[in-house]
Amino acid sequence: MIKGISFLRPAKTAADYGKLANFFSALGFTAGHGWDEPASRGASFLAPLANLEFVDGAMPSTADILVEVLHLDAVRETALTWLRSQVEGEADARITAIADTDWKSRTFTVTPIDGHSFTFWEWADPLKGKPVAVEGDLSAAGMRFAIVAARWNAVITERLLDGALDALLRSGAARRHIEIVRVPGAWEVAAAARTIADRVTPSRGPVDAIITLGCLIRGETAHYEAIYNEVARGIGQSQQETGIPHSFGVLTCETLEQALNRAGIKAGNKGFEAGVAAIEMVSLRRKLLESNSMDSNDREDA
Ligand code: DLZ
């Protein structure tokens, strides 16, 4: 399963390294983990979406890193402000004007330090005629999670747990903001999730989302339907009554082979998917609650 793409860019000097990291922070990129070892160090910046493109014919830009953004004009303003404060001499010569392309987009190219150019772009019609939709983003920086994992069928649920952690950590969550809770079996998942959702103690604040993981195998589980229905109902009820997003990573499978396939072998990793869903729902919830408060401001203004 492909998990991600890393583009490596060597900085010529330590000063260049610091400036590049500072430039991308100024533009609002989410910092990844990076590394700092005796042999080398790396400043990592995460992109919520990435793709690898091979080009046949004319390149669409002079730079070989293209960064798609919303609000291109605001990004250019920020880049220009950074250049004017950080670069000695002709700062303005390091950034082009915004120009239309022949691929229905607008772009500008910036060279924060010599040898490193980046083209920023946005679609001329970002919505492509579609109605506006509110959607969650996939950056988990600053979010707090609990993962409730059943021990029953541990060969599966440990893989689901690995997948969920991978999704959270690679999306910018801090390890200290992820609490892992183990319960005996799927039956106990909902009760533990509800306790966490309700919990506010002086030492532990509320979590932003709970990821539930378990594995029920029909062939090996007496009263499979009864257990499954109750697990699903309990997790759903906890989510609805507390408002805290609960993502559902409880597998229901006919056989162990099917479960293995859904835990990272042939059919993705449902734990990873549950991790990503949790991040998206936290972000979406925040946006929906923000837009509610904007609506009430509108009503007050009227
Ligand atoms: C008892 C049981 C059975 C038969 N099968 C499963 C299963 O496939 N997956 C799972 O997570 N748990 C199973 N359990 C255990 C119950 O979920 C529960 O932990 C015990 O009945 C104790 O309450």
Side-chain angles (χ1 to χ4, degrees):
M1 189 173 76
I2 308 291
K3 295 208 294 190
I5 298 172
S6 293
F7 289 98
L8 304 181
R9 282 288 181 279
K12 281 198 203 96
T13 64
D16 282 1
Y17 175 86
K19 277 197 171 173
L20 283 169
N22 184 277
F23 178 67
F24 277 84
S25 295
L27 290 179
F29 272 68
T30 300
H33 286 300
W35 74 92
D36 194 349
E37 303 290 341
S40 66
R41 58 189 174 140
S44 157
F45 291 92
L46 305 175
L49 297 171
N51 70 53
L52 182 60
E53 291 183 354
F54 299 100
V55 178
D56 180 24
M59 289 283 280
S61 83
T62 48
D64 63 355
I65 291 192
L66 279 82
V67 184
E68 184 181 355
V69 296
L70 300 171
H71 313 303
L72 187 72
D73 300 86
V75 174
R76 187 178 180 282
E77 272 306 302
T78 308
L80 189 55
T81 305
W82 185 91
L83 288 171
R84 287 179 179 163
S85 68
Q86 301 289 327
V87 174
E88 287 167 20
E90 262 305 293
D92 291 28
R94 290 179 170 271
I95 189 165
T96 66
I98 291 179
D100 292 335
T101 70
D102 56 6
W103 39 287
K104 297 184 185 148
S105 302
R106 306 161 67 231
T107 70
F108 74 87
T109 297
V110 57
T111 308
I113 62 164
D114 292 342
H116 291 270
S117 295
F118 307 94
T119 294
F120 289 81
W121 67 281
E122 76 175 344
W123 290 110
D125 173 14
L127 299 173
K128 302 200 178 119
K130 290 187 203 137
V132 180
V134 185
E135 287 177 296
D137 301 322
L138 296 179
S139 167
M143 294 179 182
R144 292 172 180 273
F145 300 91
I147 304 176
V148 181
R151 264 189 238 107
W152 194 279
N153 290 323
V155 67
I156 305 294
T157 58
E158 287 303 309
R159 285 164 183 260
L160 298 177
L161 178 58
D162 286 347
L165 284 170
D166 194 23
L168 300 184
L169 294 172
R170 283 203 291 122
S171 304
R175 184 65 191 82
R176 68 181 186 286
H177 289 159
I178 305 170
E179 181 182 9
I180 299 171
V181 177
R182 286 197 169 80
V183 294
W187 181 257
E188 284 76 26
V189 168
R194 181 60 188 252
T195 305
I196 295 164
D198 283 337
R199 180 190 64 190
V200 183
T201 68
S203 59
R204 288 181 184 277
V207 294
D208 292 302
I210 300 171
I211 297 158
T212 60
L213 305 175
C215 174
L216 287 156
I217 300 178
R218 186 193 292 273
E220 297 164 12
T221 307
H223 313 307
Y224 171 91
E225 266 86 14
I227 295 184
Y228 172 68
N229 287 335
E230 196 55 19
V231 172
R233 190 198 59 76
I235 293 170
Q237 188 175 342
S238 178
Q239 168 166 260
Q240 283 144 20
E241 291 181 357
T242 64
I244 293 176
H246 291 44
S247 64
F248 193 74
V250 179
L251 296 183
T252 50
C253 302
E254 298 298 318
T255 61
L256 180 63
E257 185 189 2
Q258 201 178 59
L260 277 167
N261 283 340
R262 293 179 192 173
I265 303 287
K266 283 190 197 156
N269 183 318
K270 300 298 169 196
F272 187 92
E273 289 171 22
V276 172
I279 298 165
E280 184 171 347
M281 288 308 295
V282 174
S283 168
L284 178 65
R285 183 163 188 255
R286 288 178 180 175
K287 287 186 187 183
L288 291 174
L289 293 175
E290 269 169 26
S291 60
N292 277 350
S293 67
M294 278 165 51
D295 288 350
S296 63
N297 288 342
D298 289 349
R299 277 196 294 278
E300 279 162 24
D301 292 347

